[in-house]
Amino acid sequence: MATTTPTQEETEDNAPQELTGLRARMAQMHNPGLYVGSGLGIASGWLSGDPLLLTTLGSTGIAASWATLGMNPGPWRWLPGQGEPWEWMCRRSLRGYRRRVRRMRRRLDLDHAYGPAVGSDGLLVPTIGIADGWRHRDDRAALVREAKAEAFRRRSATLHAIWAKALPDWERGWWRRYSPAEMALRAGPLAVIPASGHIDVPWWARLLVASTAATWGARVWALPDRGTPAADGDPAGLAWYLARWAEWIACDQGPLAASKLTDIHLDEDRLTAIIVSTTAKPALGVGQDAVSIAFEIPPRAVNIYRPDDMAASRAKLSVRLRTTTSDLDMDDLAAVWEEYTPYHGSELYDPEETEYGRRFKLLMPRRGSSVADVQPLAIAQALDMDGQDAVSRLHLRVIDARRIEINEMATNPLQDGVPLDPRALLMDDQGYVTVGKDIYGEPARWRLMVPNEGKFGLTGRKGMSAVHSFSSGTTGSGKSSLEETLLIAQMINGIIGWLADGKYGAGFASWTQVLDWLVKSHYGAMLMAQASVDVGKFRFSTQMKMQWQDADGYVMDGRSFFVPGEPFAPMQFTADEFNEMVMDASKDHVSPLLASVSNLGRQTRSAGIGARVYVQIPNLDSIGTNRHANAIRDMLQSGNIALFRTARADIDVMSLGSRTPKFRLEPIPETFPNGAGTGGLGYIADGSDQYTQSRMMFHPNPVRIARELPRPTLTQAEADAIADMSPAGLAYLRRDEYRHMDAAEEEEFLRDLVKQDQEARGKNTTVVDLVPSRFAPAVDATVEDDDLDDLVPPSRSELVWHAVDRGARRNGEIAKVTSLKPPNVANATKRLERLGKLTQIDRDWHTVDAIDA
């Protein structure tokens, strides 16, 4: 660090001082646009008659031409495959360029063999001159081409210099495509200002027009960014770097063929640009070594990275041109970072050696760059880390808004695996269980329940809500290992486990006899989701009639939260390969499945029922775009998130909404450096946008452990209630009859079961109209009341009250259960509300008192 300080001080001393006050105003006067604009404004007030008309027409024509050039660029634009604009001008400036090229090629193809001359006496006279020696050279064609190429390069360099001085820098000044509104703001005053001379206005208005014209001219003239001049000590300037890029990188056999550099800035010791790939190859396809060879600088002086908001065809390039490598201690990470940092103003501090590698921290500047801009690729390039997989060895952990910790782990501490520990799966008072270990040696936690602070059951148990979860990963990445660990954790903590296997039973074949309910078909998954919703409805109806106590011991009526074990056990619905279940929208199970899972996500957390969804890629757009899919996306962003082995393509298309990682995740390879597989290795969100690499617990035979644990199941009251609500409950009661079947046989069995149940419900349903018919016979007054109970079926009010008591919450659901018309249901619920039998909370109906009380 001591070697770079004098250089910085000398640079600061030699830097030109910024002008202030009157000198700054005088410097602003050196602007040709100021004089052109003011002259145009004065001419509009001074001229009259034909001179004013000609001036107006001329300026209007110039403005129209200028706007046309801006909105419709012509052949002077940099076209793909045409090279730089000065190269195009160099070629096209010669009218006979192509003709001379064809003539030169024909002459080179001719046979110029030596032909001796014949004298007057008929004898051969050998004449060997300078021209003959030139024609007899074997490498004459190559020399001619080299001479032509050198002349072309000189003409191109001359035209390049003229272009850079006469016109703004390419693609950043006037000569890019502008919108009509932008050109109207730039060229419009040129046509309007002279026209103001035709209007009779007072003298102060003429002065205002002249002032406006001068301001407009100075502003427009200052808009283009002039070509960056060559830095001192580098006479070639940008042209040399552009030529080297075209020769070494963008050539046909180069690492990024047909690429180009845009937005180039050349300071005293740094060059920055945007790499644009014009082919299907991404801009990050060019490596650090290739650029260092092209620009003749050390590899660590090159940084190539792509921000998250930049397209794959573009990447940022930062090159440190003047370095002090000879005087720099390469083992001093702080000094190396100060010399080659890609984030100007950042500082590396607290470097230390650890058991697995190196650790250090970065302090980002208050302005310019933030911790969200830090990428492992830029750090590996700046510190010139060895190996092709140097990026995968870097692990970033945010400390606060300006500090970030970087761990370089030459040996991954997770490569030996994490054995399953049943004791770690016991849920703590905050609802967490330990499912593995993260890269820093800390427990990787997964939340099963969320406590409701200050709310308790009558036995003193704390109220808790269920948690939704989302996991993604390719086949063999470890999703099943995580799910098997969570299934054991659920049994240990008394949570009912329902699992829909999207792989038609192949994913969890050994768990068939262990879980409370497991289905193998997609149709069965739809019934399981509907049954989960019915369980939630029944629990809500029961909880409304229960009491609870607050933190001070006061007992309250009507429980709006869930207490484990009072009287129901928590429950978890899991859908594996969920994107496969909903992929074919034409099948009859897709819409009910999405609607049921959407209902789970919106309503059942306070009934102790959570949903866990597994998909192949971390893109929630794969589950659909309707309103139910949108609700499911919101649900999956609210709880646990785990991203298993991912590829670069998966990360680029990642779409997790509000839980999208703020810091770029690196792809997880298939194997560790020691050759071990990376199954079970992934990223777990810690409740925010920070994702930590972790490895899940693994056991070769987890079913053996699960069989020794009690199997939580629904209470008999819950099972009977959901069986009365829909065929899904009947499918749960008869689950043991199709456990041994495969997916096709199970679906056939369940479809027959649903069909039979619907026929039975339709046959026994009786609709009673409370409005008396004028054709109905009068009731004999002598009939006793007890006899009327047998003769008259239940009234509408009784049907509606019993439907609400069994879990139906909305008028539409009540109408389906009771087979009543919606207007009749609406009238009945309003009547029961007036009588104090029902109450409406958030548009949901709940029973308050028995209807016969």
Side-chain angles (χ1 to χ4, degrees):
M1 295 176 63
T3 57
T4 59
T5 303
T7 305
Q8 295 177 353
E9 292 179 355
E10 182 179 356
T11 303
E12 294 176 358
D13 294 340
N14 296 333
Q17 297 181 355
E18 184 179 0
L19 298 177
T20 58
L22 182 60
R23 292 185 178 182
R25 295 297 181 183
M26 294 295 294
Q28 294 177 358
M29 298 295 291
H30 296 287
N31 189 326
L34 177 67
Y35 305 109
V36 173
S38 59
L40 190 65
I42 294 174
S44 65
W46 238 39
L47 299 178
S48 62
D50 293 340
L52 179 60
L53 179 62
L54 294 176
T55 302
T56 304
L57 294 178
S59 61
T60 303
I62 295 173
S65 303
W66 182 17
T68 303
L69 288 176
M71 292 185 294
N72 299 297
W76 52 86
R77 296 275 309 179
W78 183 355
L79 301 177
Q82 299 296 325
E84 299 288 348
W86 47 87
E87 294 180 3
W88 185 90
M89 291 172 60
C90 179
R91 291 193 181 99
R92 301 302 174 183
S93 62
L94 303 177
R95 295 184 58 185
Y97 175 77
R98 292 186 177 180
R99 183 182 59 185
R100 276 197 289 267
V101 169
R102 289 194 299 267
R103 185 168 61 247
M104 182 184 68
R105 289 175 178 172
R106 286 197 301 269
R107 289 177 179 177
L108 291 175
D109 293 338
L110 295 178
D111 185 11
H112 296 287
Y114 171 70
V118 180
S120 58
D121 53 0
L123 300 177
L124 296 177
V125 180
T127 55
I128 299 177
I130 298 176
D132 294 329
W134 163 250
R135 291 191 178 91
H136 286 89
R137 290 179 63 94
D138 295 335
D139 57 345
R140 185 173 67 88
L143 292 175
V144 170
R145 292 190 181 94
E146 184 178 355
K148 290 289 185 181
E150 183 62 28
F152 172 74
R153 279 194 292 269
R154 285 198 300 268
R155 290 197 300 270
S156 295
T158 303
L159 288 172
H160 179 199
I162 296 174
W163 182 278
K165 293 180 181 179
L167 293 176
D169 195 17
W170 196 248
E171 290 191 349
R172 288 193 295 119
W174 287 348
W175 304 99
R176 64 174 173 84
R177 185 184 298 274
Y178 288 100
S179 64
E182 190 173 5
M183 287 309 302
L185 293 176
R186 293 195 175 194
L190 183 61
V192 174
I193 291 173
S196 63
H198 297 277
I199 305 174
D200 188 13
V201 295
W203 64 271
W204 56 267
R206 301 293 184 191
L207 186 61
L208 180 61
V209 170
S211 176
T212 303
T215 305
W216 167 81
R219 173 63 179 164
V220 170
W221 191 273
L223 277 177
D225 188 5
R226 292 287 182 177
T228 306
D232 296 338
D234 185 12
L238 292 175
W240 186 85
Y241 294 103
L242 291 172
R244 296 284 293 185
W245 183 271
E247 181 180 359
W248 290 86
I249 308 297
C251 59
D252 293 338
Q253 303 299 326
L256 195 61
S259 61
K260 60 182 180 179
L261 296 179
T262 61
D263 286 342
I264 308 175
H265 297 275
L266 180 62
D267 299 329
E268 292 184 354
D269 60 350
R270 188 174 295 275
L271 181 143
T272 58
I274 301 295
I275 303 174
V276 179
S277 175
T278 59
T279 62
K281 192 173 183 179
L284 287 178
V286 58
Q288 184 182 15
D289 294 335
V291 178
S292 67
I293 294 173
F295 291 167
E296 299 179 357
I297 52 177
R300 68 173 70 229
V302 180
N303 288 110
I304 305 173
Y305 58 97
R306 182 175 67 86
D308 294 337
D309 57 351
M310 184 174 286
S313 61
R314 283 166 170 77
K316 286 189 176 182
L317 171 67
S318 177
V319 180
R320 182 68 183 272
L321 302 178
R322 293 172 179 80
T323 60
T324 57
T325 306
S326 58
D327 301 332
L328 192 64
D329 183 7
M330 308 311 284
D331 295 331
D332 188 353
L333 290 181
V336 172
W337 181 263
E338 183 178 359
E339 181 70 20
Y340 299 106
T341 175
Y343 310 110
H344 182 68
S346 62
E347 177 185 352
L348 188 149
Y349 68 99
D350 286 351
E352 59 179 336
E353 294 290 336
T354 63
E355 179 183 359
Y356 304 104
R358 294 182 295 184
R359 177 189 302 160
F360 53 89
K361 299 181 180 66
L362 291 181
L363 178 63
M364 303 304 293
R366 295 186 181 275
R367 295 182 179 179
S369 299
S370 65
V371 292
D373 299 328
V374 179
Q375 295 188 13
L377 179 59
I379 298 173
Q381 292 174 349
L383 300 180
D384 195 20
M385 296 181 176
D386 299 330
Q388 296 292 335
D389 57 345
V391 175
S392 62
R393 300 198 306 266
L394 293 179
H395 303 276
L396 281 58
R397 179 165 56 177
V398 176
I399 302 176
D400 53 31
R402 292 183 57 199
R403 295 183 300 164
I404 185 170
E405 179 185 280
I406 295 94
N407 285 265
E408 180 194 5
M409 297 184 179
T411 303
N412 196 314
L414 301 176
Q415 65 185 11
D416 296 330
V418 182
L420 181 65
D421 183 7
R423 295 172 298 179
L425 298 178
L426 186 63
M427 187 170 60
D428 61 12
D429 57 350
Q430 294 299 315
Y432 284 101
V433 296
T434 300
V435 296
K437 183 173 66 174
D438 65 15
I439 195 71
Y440 308 109
E442 301 294 333
R445 302 195 303 168
W446 193 272
R447 197 162 204 173
L448 298 179
M449 304 289 288
V450 177
N452 295 320
E453 301 297 336
K455 297 181 179 181
F456 302 89
L458 295 182
T459 61
R461 288 189 176 183
K462 184 184 297 185
M464 305 190 81
S465 299
V467 179
H468 302 311
S469 306
F470 164 71
S471 298
S472 72
T474 57
T475 301
S477 60
K479 300 193 305 295
S480 299
S481 298
L482 173 62
E483 177 59 26
E484 289 175 336
T485 301
L486 292 175
L487 291 177
I488 296 176
Q490 291 172 184
M491 292 182 177
I492 294 176
N493 295 282
I495 300 176
I496 302 171
W498 286 7
L499 175 61
D501 190 351
K503 293 182 179 179
Y504 302 100
F508 299 89
S510 58
W511 289 84
T512 303
Q513 303 296 331
V514 179
L515 295 177
D516 181 42
W517 192 11
L518 187 145
V519 294
K520 313 172 190 67
S521 62
H522 296 173
Y523 187 81
M526 179 264 293
L527 293 178
M528 179 178 286
Q530 289 181 344
S532 301
V533 175
D534 293 341
V535 172
K537 294 178 180 179
F538 176 76
R539 290 186 175 184
F540 282 135
S541 177
T542 304
Q543 289 176 179
M544 285 293 298
K545 308 170 187 177
M546 301 180 67
Q547 293 181 324
W548 62 283
Q549 57 183 351
D550 59 12
D552 298 328
Y554 287 94
V555 177
M556 308 293 293
D557 294 328
R559 185 183 296 174
S560 60
F561 57 94
F562 179 78
V563 180
E566 292 187 20
F568 311 116
M571 178 176 159
Q572 187 74 38
F573 164 77
T574 302
D576 189 28
E577 305 292 343
F578 185 71
N579 55 331
E580 294 292 333
M581 296 180 182
V582 300
M583 182 174 295
D584 191 358
S586 62
K587 294 185 177 180
D588 58 350
H589 74 273
V590 174
S591 181
L593 176 60
L594 286 174
S596 299
V597 177
S598 171
N599 187 286
L600 287 174
R602 290 180 286 108
Q603 297 185 1
T604 59
R605 288 182 65 248
S606 57
I609 304 175
R612 188 161 56 244
V613 172
Y614 292 88
V615 298
Q616 283 284 348
I617 60 175
N619 190 337
L620 296 180
D621 296 337
S622 61
I623 64 177
T625 56
N626 58 17
R627 58 189 181 91
H628 296 307
N630 295 334
I632 295 174
R633 269 189 287 272
D634 295 337
M635 169 192 76
L636 299 181
Q637 299 169 27
S638 63
N640 307 293
I641 293 181
L643 308 177
F644 287 91
R645 187 169 64 223
T646 55
R648 171 60 63 190
D650 295 338
I651 293 176
D652 291 339
V653 300
M654 184 179 296
S655 175
L656 301 181
S658 60
R659 296 292 297 278
T660 297
K662 185 177 181 180
F663 311 99
R664 175 176 287 271
L665 304 181
E666 292 301 320
I668 298 178
E670 294 186 6
T671 59
F672 287 106
N674 64 349
T678 57
L681 183 65
Y683 295 96
I684 292 183
D686 62 353
S688 61
D689 47 13
Q690 174 76 58
Y691 286 68
T692 306
Q693 190 175 117
S694 308
R695 193 165 190 183
M696 309 305 130
M697 292 180 178
F698 175 77
H699 193 279
N701 188 12
V703 180
R704 178 174 58 83
I705 299 177
R707 286 175 179 171
E708 300 175 358
L709 300 172
R711 183 174 68 181
T713 185
L714 294 181
T715 62
Q716 190 61 42
E718 291 176 294
D720 294 339
I722 63 175
D724 293 338
M725 291 182 187
S726 66
L730 189 59
Y732 170 77
L733 289 180
R734 300 181 61 177
R735 62 192 182 281
D736 290 330
E737 299 181 26
Y738 53 87
R739 285 185 185 269
H740 63 283
M741 299 181 182
D742 59 16
E745 295 172 344
E746 175 189 282
E747 181 174 352
E748 183 180 0
F749 177 87
L750 291 176
R751 287 185 179 275
D752 291 340
L753 181 65
V754 171
K755 183 178 180 180
Q756 295 173 7
D757 184 74
Q758 289 178 345
E759 292 176 354
R761 291 175 187 269
K763 183 184 300 183
N764 296 330
T765 301
T766 303
V767 179
V768 179
D769 192 356
L770 294 181
V771 180
S773 174
R774 51 180 181 167
F775 302 104
V779 178
D780 189 0
T782 61
V783 179
E784 299 293 335
D785 292 341
D786 295 337
D787 298 331
L788 287 176
D789 294 337
D790 298 330
L791 297 175
V792 180
S795 64
R796 291 178 185 171
S797 299
E798 292 175 339
L799 292 175
V800 170
W801 188 93
H802 287 292
V804 174
D805 188 58
R806 292 173 181 175
R809 291 288 171 258
R810 301 290 176 88
N811 288 348
E813 299 176 3
I814 299 172
K816 291 181 181 179
V817 174
T818 59
S819 298
L820 296 176
K821 296 181 180 180
N824 296 336
V825 173
N827 294 333
T829 53
K830 291 297 183 182
R831 179 175 180 274
L832 291 173
E833 185 181 22
R834 290 195 303 269
L835 296 175
K837 306 299 182 181
L838 296 182
T839 182
Q840 191 174 26
I841 303 176
D842 293 335
R843 300 178 60 189
D844 291 342
W845 292 105
H846 300 275
T847 57
V848 177
D849 195 3
I851 193 170
D852 55 352

